[in-house]
Amino acid sequence: NLQNELGERRRAEDRILTQVERLTALQQVERAIASTFDMELSLNTLLSFAVKLLSADAAAVLLLNPATYSLEYVSGLGFRSGTVKLGSVNLLGSYAGHVAQNRQAAHISNLAEGSGNLFPDGFLKEEKFVEYHAVPLVVKGQLPGVMEIFNRAKAERGDDWFNFLDVLAGQAAIGFRCHDVQQF
């Protein structure tokens, strides 16, 4: 019984430490957005915290370009190859495009099943990603882009994880707004 109490107490302490770490990260992201005119630096700060605190292997932000009906790579972290930087992703026929069009998050727990050509050629093979999350970046009713999170191994994700992902996406959207990035 004492073992169970100690285990429960340790889990509670771990949850508190995780929350403190996430709040501290959000403060640092807000400072980065407010203190620099360099959008790429702000996004790199945000993505470094996303990768670390969401236990992700890679993360990227894509910017909407309505003129070409695509999402264009703006910033990324944790990728092994340069494939992700090579161009844009069509709004039709891509997971990120689906997220942008529907303004709803997506989670693909097994990319090996049915991912087809929804990513650039060779991307999944080069990167060895198995799990994918994407969230729309929405600020004041506008959608400037999408944030993507990739993992090379499956992991259990709780409500706290998804809530923090949403908060980070909100910070990225605010960053676009603060840096006066408009939809194309």
Side-chain angles (χ1 to χ4, degrees):
N1 201 358
L2 182 59
Q3 290 280 341
N4 289 344
E5 265 185 56
L6 289 174
E8 186 58 38
R9 185 177 188 161
R10 182 169 296 151
R11 284 187 293 279
E13 288 173 356
D14 288 346
R15 284 192 300 271
I16 290 168
L17 288 175
T18 298
Q19 291 300 333
V20 168
E21 192 174 26
R22 288 176 175 174
L23 288 172
T24 302
L26 289 174
Q27 287 176 326
Q28 290 177 336
V29 168
E30 286 175 9
R31 275 192 225 119
I33 290 169
S35 68
T36 182
F37 293 107
D38 186 345
M39 183 67 195
E40 187 174 345
L41 180 61
S42 295
L43 287 175
N44 285 341
T45 300
L46 179 126
L47 292 175
S48 69
F49 284 118
V51 167
K52 179 182 177 190
L53 298 177
L54 293 171
S55 300
D57 290 308
V61 173
L62 308 173
L63 182 64
L64 178 64
N65 183 340
T68 61
Y69 212 62
S70 65
L71 291 161
E72 298 177 356
Y73 174 89
V74 176
S75 187
L77 184 68
F79 296 95
R80 294 177 177 165
S81 70
T83 305
V84 72
K85 300 177 186 179
L86 291 179
S88 59
V89 176
N90 193 308
L91 286 178
L92 300 174
S94 70
Y95 290 128
H98 181 77
V99 168
Q101 287 180 28
N102 295 304
R103 294 182 181 213
Q104 291 185 332
H107 172 225
I108 310 303
S109 61
N110 187 352
L111 289 170
E113 292 179 2
S115 62
N117 61 355
L118 299 179
F119 291 102
D121 289 340
F123 176 70
L124 292 179
K125 186 176 181 182
E126 292 169 5
E127 295 289 349
K128 298 183 179 12
F129 292 130
V130 298
E131 189 174 30
Y132 173 81
H133 299 272
V135 288
L137 307 180
V138 179
V139 63
K140 294 198 175 189
Q142 293 190 336
L143 183 128
V146 171
M147 184 166 74
E148 299 179 303
I149 303 292
F150 296 90
N151 289 293
R152 292 184 177 95
K154 285 186 170 210
E156 288 294 317
R157 309 291 184 197
D159 289 342
D160 286 349
W161 189 93
F162 286 101
N163 290 337
F164 189 63
L165 176 59
D166 285 341
V167 170
L168 285 176
Q171 289 298 310
I174 289 168
F176 279 126
R177 184 80 171 175
C178 288
H179 290 91
D180 204 27
V181 173
Q182 303 292 320
Q183 289 184 192
F184 285 85

